[in-house]
Amino acid sequence: MASTTFRTSFSILPSHQNPLLSSLTLSPHSQIHRKRLSIVSHRRTRRRPRRKLAGGKDMSVAVTMPAPSHGRDKSLDSVLDSTNSAGEGEMLTADVEGEMSSTRKNAMRKSKYLISRICFGVELSPDNIAVAMVYFVQGVLGLARLAVSFYLKDDLHLEPAETAVISGFSAIPWLIKPLYGFISDSVPLFGYRRRSYLVLSGLLGALSWSLMSTFVDSKYSAAFCILLGSLSVAFSDVVVDSMVVERARGESQSMSGSLQSLCWGSSAFGGIVSSYFSGSLVGAYGVRFVFGVTALLPLITSAVAVLVKEQRVLGPASGLDLALSGPGFLESSKQHIVQLWDAVKQPNVFFPTLFIFLWQATPHSDSAMFFFTTNKLGFTPEFLGRVKLVTSVASLLGVGLYNGFLKNVPLHKIFFATTVTGTALGMTQVFLVTGLNRKFGISDEWFAVGDSLILTVLGQASFMPVLVLAAKLCPEGMEATLFATLMSISNGGSVLGGLIGAGLTQFFGVTKDNFDNLAFLIILCNLSSLLPLPLLGLLPNDTSDAVFEGQ
């Protein structure tokens, strides 16, 4: 949401020095004053041996020795004795307070260290808390993901290819993320570039899921509401991504990886929170109830907007008058487009971006597998909720795997290892489709859980470098826009891969009742994942603490 090892040294502060004896205010009579001064001078030369307290602290105190004196001098003796005793007590108190203060400081330092380890080595500032909570909401919104799948399949009676098309259509807001970045950077709403848009995004998400729980009754209205909810998440994602990029600029690959680990670890934790209940709630109360509960979750995004530290923009641009048709806005838009193109066409940005797009554009067969597991194998919503719980935990494990062992490894090595391993393990889905797992005594349920666990860990560990690479490629001054552009290109590749998968599903004749050619579809989709590997040379050859050149 596994971190770099930190060492904390606990040191005890030096003991306080012995307090000096304060000057005494004596009688104004000169003779008595001189006499008492001579006594003080005489007695300061006679000291008891220094006493050592526990812990080796030196507690030497001047103590008066008995000597003959006049009646008035006895009062002086008592004053000096009380002063020395007070000095010793004050010094003991000071030493104890010093040790307690040191202990408190060490305890605070230790607690910060533990929190840092839990949060992937990232300090939990208010801004970072806001970022983590927005990503947590993105994860916990998975509460409705299973409900949407069952709603499209059972209530609207759609085919696997149609479901894949609706999924691709709902991802359109993720393809125009640069527009949100441009709006967020250039058009402050109510004087804020970040806070106000987080509030607006949360309200939009609540509206979309409220409509899903009440009025939606066709595939077109469902697609529109899903699109609206996707827009809400995509816009808030751009806002918090810009905050992450601002912190990642100029940092090493390791620190940038820690920031991304915090974000996606929070998302995975949100998925864990919602995953188990996603299936049981669908089975017990139906999809409409789940949509209604989900409508409350985006409001968390609106609430945490107050944690964002941001200077209010003063002037006419701080209000609602956006002046979209004014010459100033058009000129600013043209300037941003030119800057964006100048940044993207740089070889150190263009070629890695091309690899990311092609790597994401390989087809997949997720929709066909969902129909197979529910219609053919008879997996219930409750069981699929448990599988989703496992995959959410696996996603968090994937983040931990990257943050603990891979974030200092060159990117091209990570892509190569995870792609080859993931392709080989992805072939195991053929076992489930053909029933080969049962011949080895492994039930369909256990095989599905284990297969999902391993593939999700590898998938998340391989996706983290994409985020790190995109963040490191962003130059100063246009973080939100360029990062959103790079991630939109990545999402565009993913949508293209989904549409190609839908076309292949239709081509092989896989429907909600016919799965004869599903094994061939899975093999083809998995082998296509190897196609981008010859382009690994397009990635920068960075080291663990190197910063990408050309910033």
Short mmCIF file of all heavy atoms in Angstrom, two decimals, residues 72-119:
data_model
loop_
_atom_site.label_atom_id
_atom_site.label_comp_id
_atom_site.label_asym_id
_atom_site.label_seq_id
_atom_site.Cartn_x
_atom_site.Cartn_y
_atom_site.Cartn_z
N ARG A 72 24.65 34.62 65.10
CA ARG A 72 24.11 34.97 63.80
C ARG A 72 24.64 34.03 62.71
O ARG A 72 23.99 33.77 61.74
CB ARG A 72 24.49 36.40 63.45
CG ARG A 72 23.76 37.43 64.30
CD ARG A 72 24.13 38.84 63.86
NE ARG A 72 23.42 39.82 64.64
CZ ARG A 72 23.55 41.13 64.47
NH1 ARG A 72 24.37 41.57 63.53
NH2 ARG A 72 22.87 41.97 65.20
N ASP A 73 25.87 33.46 62.88
CA ASP A 73 26.44 32.59 61.87
C ASP A 73 25.73 31.25 61.81
O ASP A 73 25.79 30.57 60.79
CB ASP A 73 27.92 32.38 62.13
CG ASP A 73 28.71 33.66 61.92
OD1 ASP A 73 28.19 34.56 61.22
OD2 ASP A 73 29.80 33.72 62.45
N LYS A 74 25.07 30.83 62.88
CA LYS A 74 24.33 29.57 62.84
C LYS A 74 23.18 29.65 61.83
O LYS A 74 22.87 28.69 61.15
CB LYS A 74 23.78 29.23 64.24
CG LYS A 74 24.88 28.89 65.23
CD LYS A 74 24.29 28.55 66.57
CE LYS A 74 25.38 28.21 67.59
NZ LYS A 74 24.82 27.88 68.91
N SER A 75 22.55 30.81 61.75
CA SER A 75 21.49 30.96 60.75
C SER A 75 22.06 30.87 59.35
O SER A 75 21.44 30.33 58.44
CB SER A 75 20.77 32.30 60.94
OG SER A 75 21.69 33.38 60.74
N LEU A 76 23.27 31.39 59.18
CA LEU A 76 23.91 31.29 57.86
C LEU A 76 24.21 29.83 57.52
O LEU A 76 24.07 29.40 56.37
CB LEU A 76 25.20 32.13 57.85
CG LEU A 76 25.99 32.09 56.55
CD1 LEU A 76 25.17 32.57 55.39
CD2 LEU A 76 27.26 32.92 56.71
N ASP A 77 24.67 29.05 58.53
CA ASP A 77 24.93 27.63 58.29
C ASP A 77 23.67 26.93 57.79
O ASP A 77 23.72 26.12 56.85
CB ASP A 77 25.41 26.95 59.58
CG ASP A 77 26.81 27.43 59.95
OD1 ASP A 77 27.50 27.96 59.04
OD2 ASP A 77 27.18 27.27 61.12
N SER A 78 22.57 27.24 58.44
CA SER A 78 21.33 26.58 58.01
C SER A 78 20.94 26.98 56.60
O SER A 78 20.45 26.16 55.82
CB SER A 78 20.20 26.91 58.99
OG SER A 78 19.95 28.31 58.97
N VAL A 79 21.19 28.24 56.25
CA VAL A 79 20.88 28.70 54.88
C VAL A 79 21.73 27.97 53.86
O VAL A 79 21.26 27.50 52.83
CB VAL A 79 21.08 30.23 54.77
CG1 VAL A 79 20.99 30.67 53.32
CG2 VAL A 79 20.05 30.96 55.61
N LEU A 80 23.05 27.87 54.17
CA LEU A 80 23.94 27.20 53.23
C LEU A 80 23.62 25.72 53.10
O LEU A 80 23.66 25.15 52.01
CB LEU A 80 25.40 27.38 53.67
CG LEU A 80 25.95 28.81 53.56
CD1 LEU A 80 27.34 28.86 54.17
CD2 LEU A 80 25.97 29.26 52.12
N ASP A 81 23.32 25.05 54.24
CA ASP A 81 22.98 23.63 54.19
C ASP A 81 21.73 23.40 53.36
O ASP A 81 21.65 22.47 52.55
CB ASP A 81 22.78 23.08 55.61
CG ASP A 81 24.13 22.97 56.34
OD1 ASP A 81 25.15 22.91 55.64
OD2 ASP A 81 24.12 22.93 57.58
N SER A 82 20.73 24.24 53.59
CA SER A 82 19.49 24.07 52.81
C SER A 82 19.72 24.34 51.34
O SER A 82 19.13 23.69 50.47
CB SER A 82 18.40 25.02 53.36
OG SER A 82 18.81 26.37 53.19
N THR A 83 20.61 25.28 51.02
CA THR A 83 20.91 25.58 49.61
C THR A 83 21.59 24.40 48.93
O THR A 83 21.28 24.03 47.81
CB THR A 83 21.82 26.81 49.52
OG1 THR A 83 21.17 27.91 50.15
CG2 THR A 83 22.11 27.15 48.06
N ASN A 84 22.59 23.80 49.66
CA ASN A 84 23.27 22.64 49.09
C ASN A 84 22.31 21.47 48.89
O ASN A 84 22.37 20.76 47.89
CB ASN A 84 24.43 22.21 49.99
CG ASN A 84 25.57 23.22 49.96
OD1 ASN A 84 25.81 23.84 48.94
ND2 ASN A 84 26.24 23.37 51.10
N SER A 85 21.44 21.24 49.87
CA SER A 85 20.48 20.14 49.74
C SER A 85 19.54 20.39 48.57
O SER A 85 19.22 19.48 47.81
CB SER A 85 19.68 20.00 51.04
OG SER A 85 20.55 19.72 52.12
N ALA A 86 19.13 21.63 48.44
CA ALA A 86 18.24 21.96 47.31
C ALA A 86 18.96 21.76 45.99
O ALA A 86 18.38 21.27 45.02
CB ALA A 86 17.75 23.41 47.44
N GLY A 87 20.23 22.14 45.93
CA GLY A 87 20.99 21.96 44.69
C GLY A 87 21.11 20.51 44.32
O GLY A 87 20.98 20.12 43.16
N GLU A 88 21.37 19.65 45.33
CA GLU A 88 21.48 18.22 45.05
C GLU A 88 20.15 17.66 44.56
O GLU A 88 20.10 16.89 43.61
CB GLU A 88 21.93 17.51 46.32
CG GLU A 88 22.15 16.00 46.11
CD GLU A 88 22.69 15.35 47.37
OE1 GLU A 88 22.93 16.09 48.34
OE2 GLU A 88 22.86 14.13 47.36
N GLY A 89 19.04 18.08 45.20
CA GLY A 89 17.73 17.60 44.77
C GLY A 89 17.38 18.05 43.37
O GLY A 89 16.83 17.31 42.58
N GLU A 90 17.70 19.32 43.09
CA GLU A 90 17.40 19.83 41.76
C GLU A 90 18.19 19.08 40.70
O GLU A 90 17.70 18.79 39.62
CB GLU A 90 17.72 21.32 41.69
CG GLU A 90 16.75 22.18 42.49
CD GLU A 90 17.19 23.63 42.50
OE1 GLU A 90 18.24 23.92 41.87
OE2 GLU A 90 16.50 24.45 43.11
N MET A 91 19.45 18.75 41.05
CA MET A 91 20.28 18.05 40.08
C MET A 91 19.76 16.63 39.85
O MET A 91 19.72 16.14 38.73
CB MET A 91 21.72 18.01 40.56
CG MET A 91 22.69 17.43 39.54
SD MET A 91 24.37 17.75 40.02
CE MET A 91 24.38 17.04 41.63
N LEU A 92 19.32 15.95 40.91
CA LEU A 92 18.74 14.63 40.75
C LEU A 92 17.49 14.69 39.89
O LEU A 92 17.28 13.87 38.99
CB LEU A 92 18.41 14.04 42.12
CG LEU A 92 19.59 13.56 42.96
CD1 LEU A 92 19.12 13.25 44.37
CD2 LEU A 92 20.25 12.36 42.32
N THR A 93 16.64 15.68 40.16
CA THR A 93 15.42 15.84 39.36
C THR A 93 15.75 16.11 37.91
O THR A 93 15.12 15.58 36.99
CB THR A 93 14.57 16.98 39.93
OG1 THR A 93 14.29 16.71 41.29
CG2 THR A 93 13.26 17.12 39.15
N ALA A 94 16.76 16.96 37.66
CA ALA A 94 17.14 17.30 36.28
C ALA A 94 17.64 16.07 35.54
O ALA A 94 17.32 15.87 34.37
CB ALA A 94 18.20 18.39 36.29
N ASP A 95 18.46 15.24 36.26
CA ASP A 95 18.96 14.03 35.61
C ASP A 95 17.83 13.07 35.27
O ASP A 95 17.79 12.48 34.19
CB ASP A 95 19.97 13.33 36.52
CG ASP A 95 21.34 14.01 36.46
OD1 ASP A 95 21.60 14.66 35.43
OD2 ASP A 95 22.11 13.87 37.42
N VAL A 96 16.89 12.90 36.21
CA VAL A 96 15.76 12.01 35.96
C VAL A 96 14.91 12.51 34.80
O VAL A 96 14.51 11.76 33.91
CB VAL A 96 14.91 11.85 37.24
CG1 VAL A 96 13.63 11.08 36.93
CG2 VAL A 96 15.71 11.13 38.31
N GLU A 97 14.67 13.86 34.81
CA GLU A 97 13.87 14.42 33.72
C GLU A 97 14.61 14.27 32.39
O GLU A 97 14.00 14.04 31.35
CB GLU A 97 13.57 15.89 34.00
CG GLU A 97 12.59 16.08 35.15
CD GLU A 97 12.34 17.55 35.43
OE1 GLU A 97 13.08 18.38 34.84
OE2 GLU A 97 11.45 17.88 36.21
N GLY A 98 15.94 14.42 32.40
CA GLY A 98 16.70 14.26 31.18
C GLY A 98 16.60 12.85 30.62
O GLY A 98 16.45 12.65 29.42
N GLU A 99 16.71 11.86 31.55
CA GLU A 99 16.60 10.48 31.11
C GLU A 99 15.20 10.17 30.59
O GLU A 99 15.03 9.47 29.59
CB GLU A 99 16.96 9.54 32.26
CG GLU A 99 18.43 9.59 32.64
CD GLU A 99 18.74 8.63 33.77
OE1 GLU A 99 17.81 7.91 34.18
OE2 GLU A 99 19.90 8.59 34.21
N MET A 100 14.17 10.71 31.27
CA MET A 100 12.81 10.49 30.81
C MET A 100 12.59 11.13 29.45
O MET A 100 11.94 10.57 28.56
CB MET A 100 11.80 11.04 31.82
CG MET A 100 11.78 10.27 33.14
SD MET A 100 10.66 11.02 34.34
CE MET A 100 9.11 10.79 33.50
N SER A 101 13.13 12.36 29.27
CA SER A 101 13.00 13.02 27.97
C SER A 101 13.69 12.22 26.87
O SER A 101 13.16 12.06 25.77
CB SER A 101 13.60 14.43 28.06
OG SER A 101 13.58 15.06 26.80
N SER A 102 14.88 11.70 27.20
CA SER A 102 15.59 10.88 26.22
C SER A 102 14.82 9.62 25.89
O SER A 102 14.73 9.20 24.74
CB SER A 102 16.98 10.52 26.75
OG SER A 102 17.66 9.67 25.87
N THR A 103 14.20 9.00 26.91
CA THR A 103 13.41 7.80 26.68
C THR A 103 12.21 8.10 25.79
O THR A 103 11.88 7.34 24.89
CB THR A 103 12.94 7.22 28.02
OG1 THR A 103 14.09 6.95 28.84
CG2 THR A 103 12.15 5.94 27.80
N ARG A 104 11.55 9.24 26.08
CA ARG A 104 10.40 9.62 25.26
C ARG A 104 10.81 9.85 23.82
O ARG A 104 10.12 9.45 22.88
CB ARG A 104 9.73 10.86 25.84
CG ARG A 104 8.89 10.59 27.07
CD ARG A 104 8.00 11.76 27.39
NE ARG A 104 8.78 12.95 27.71
CZ ARG A 104 9.11 13.32 28.93
NH1 ARG A 104 8.75 12.57 29.96
NH2 ARG A 104 9.80 14.43 29.15
N LYS A 105 11.95 10.53 23.61
CA LYS A 105 12.42 10.78 22.26
C LYS A 105 12.72 9.47 21.54
O LYS A 105 12.40 9.30 20.37
CB LYS A 105 13.67 11.67 22.29
CG LYS A 105 13.38 13.11 22.69
CD LYS A 105 14.66 13.93 22.71
CE LYS A 105 14.37 15.37 23.10
NZ LYS A 105 15.60 16.18 23.16
N ASN A 106 13.38 8.55 22.27
CA ASN A 106 13.68 7.26 21.64
C ASN A 106 12.41 6.48 21.32
O ASN A 106 12.33 5.81 20.29
CB ASN A 106 14.58 6.44 22.56
CG ASN A 106 16.00 6.97 22.61
OD1 ASN A 106 16.49 7.53 21.63
ND2 ASN A 106 16.65 6.82 23.76
N ALA A 107 11.42 6.56 22.22
CA ALA A 107 10.16 5.87 21.96
C ALA A 107 9.45 6.46 20.74
O ALA A 107 8.92 5.72 19.90
CB ALA A 107 9.25 5.96 23.18
N MET A 108 9.47 7.80 20.62
CA MET A 108 8.86 8.43 19.46
C MET A 108 9.60 8.07 18.19
O MET A 108 9.00 7.81 17.15
CB MET A 108 8.84 9.95 19.65
CG MET A 108 7.92 10.43 20.76
SD MET A 108 8.03 12.22 21.02
CE MET A 108 7.51 12.81 19.41
N ARG A 109 10.95 8.04 18.30
CA ARG A 109 11.74 7.68 17.13
C ARG A 109 11.47 6.24 16.71
O ARG A 109 11.37 5.91 15.53
CB ARG A 109 13.23 7.87 17.45
CG ARG A 109 14.13 7.82 16.22
CD ARG A 109 15.59 8.00 16.62
NE ARG A 109 15.82 9.27 17.26
CZ ARG A 109 16.22 9.41 18.51
NH1 ARG A 109 16.45 8.35 19.26
NH2 ARG A 109 16.41 10.61 19.01
N LYS A 110 11.30 5.36 17.70
CA LYS A 110 11.04 3.96 17.40
C LYS A 110 9.66 3.78 16.79
O LYS A 110 9.47 3.00 15.86
CB LYS A 110 11.15 3.14 18.69
CG LYS A 110 11.08 1.64 18.45
CD LYS A 110 11.35 0.89 19.73
CE LYS A 110 11.33 -0.63 19.49
NZ LYS A 110 11.60 -1.37 20.74
N SER A 111 8.66 4.53 17.31
CA SER A 111 7.32 4.42 16.75
C SER A 111 7.28 4.94 15.32
O SER A 111 6.60 4.37 14.45
CB SER A 111 6.32 5.20 17.61
OG SER A 111 6.63 6.59 17.61
N LYS A 112 7.99 6.04 15.04
CA LYS A 112 8.06 6.54 13.66
C LYS A 112 8.72 5.51 12.75
O LYS A 112 8.33 5.33 11.60
CB LYS A 112 8.84 7.86 13.62
CG LYS A 112 8.08 9.04 14.23
CD LYS A 112 8.91 10.31 14.13
CE LYS A 112 8.14 11.50 14.70
NZ LYS A 112 8.96 12.75 14.60
N TYR A 113 9.73 4.84 13.28
CA TYR A 113 10.42 3.82 12.48
C TYR A 113 9.47 2.67 12.14
O TYR A 113 9.43 2.21 11.00
CB TYR A 113 11.62 3.32 13.27
CG TYR A 113 12.23 2.05 12.74
CD1 TYR A 113 13.03 2.08 11.60
CD2 TYR A 113 12.03 0.83 13.38
CE1 TYR A 113 13.59 0.91 11.11
CE2 TYR A 113 12.60 -0.33 12.90
CZ TYR A 113 13.38 -0.28 11.77
OH TYR A 113 13.95 -1.43 11.29
N LEU A 114 8.68 2.23 13.15
CA LEU A 114 7.76 1.13 12.90
C LEU A 114 6.68 1.53 11.90
O LEU A 114 6.32 0.77 11.01
CB LEU A 114 7.13 0.68 14.22
CG LEU A 114 8.08 0.03 15.22
CD1 LEU A 114 7.36 -0.27 16.53
CD2 LEU A 114 8.69 -1.24 14.65
N ILE A 115 6.15 2.77 12.05
CA ILE A 115 5.14 3.24 11.11
C ILE A 115 5.72 3.33 9.72
O ILE A 115 5.08 2.99 8.72
CB ILE A 115 4.59 4.61 11.57
CG1 ILE A 115 3.81 4.45 12.89
CG2 ILE A 115 3.70 5.23 10.50
CD1 ILE A 115 3.33 5.75 13.47
N SER A 116 6.97 3.79 9.62
CA SER A 116 7.62 3.89 8.32
C SER A 116 7.76 2.52 7.68
O SER A 116 7.58 2.36 6.47
CB SER A 116 8.99 4.56 8.47
OG SER A 116 9.69 4.60 7.25
N ARG A 117 8.10 1.50 8.49
CA ARG A 117 8.23 0.15 7.94
C ARG A 117 6.88 -0.36 7.44
O ARG A 117 6.78 -0.97 6.37
CB ARG A 117 8.79 -0.80 8.99
CG ARG A 117 10.24 -0.59 9.34
CD ARG A 117 11.13 -0.85 8.13
NE ARG A 117 11.00 -2.22 7.67
CZ ARG A 117 11.77 -3.23 8.09
NH1 ARG A 117 12.73 -3.00 8.95
NH2 ARG A 117 11.59 -4.45 7.62
N ILE A 118 5.83 -0.10 8.22
CA ILE A 118 4.50 -0.55 7.82
C ILE A 118 4.06 0.14 6.54
O ILE A 118 3.41 -0.46 5.69
CB ILE A 118 3.49 -0.28 8.96
CG1 ILE A 118 3.82 -1.15 10.17
CG2 ILE A 118 2.06 -0.54 8.50
CD1 ILE A 118 2.98 -0.85 11.39
N CYS A 119 4.43 1.39 6.37
CA CYS A 119 4.00 2.19 5.22
C CYS A 119 5.07 2.21 4.13
O CYS A 119 5.24 3.23 3.45
CB CYS A 119 3.67 3.61 5.67
SG CYS A 119 2.34 3.69 6.87
#
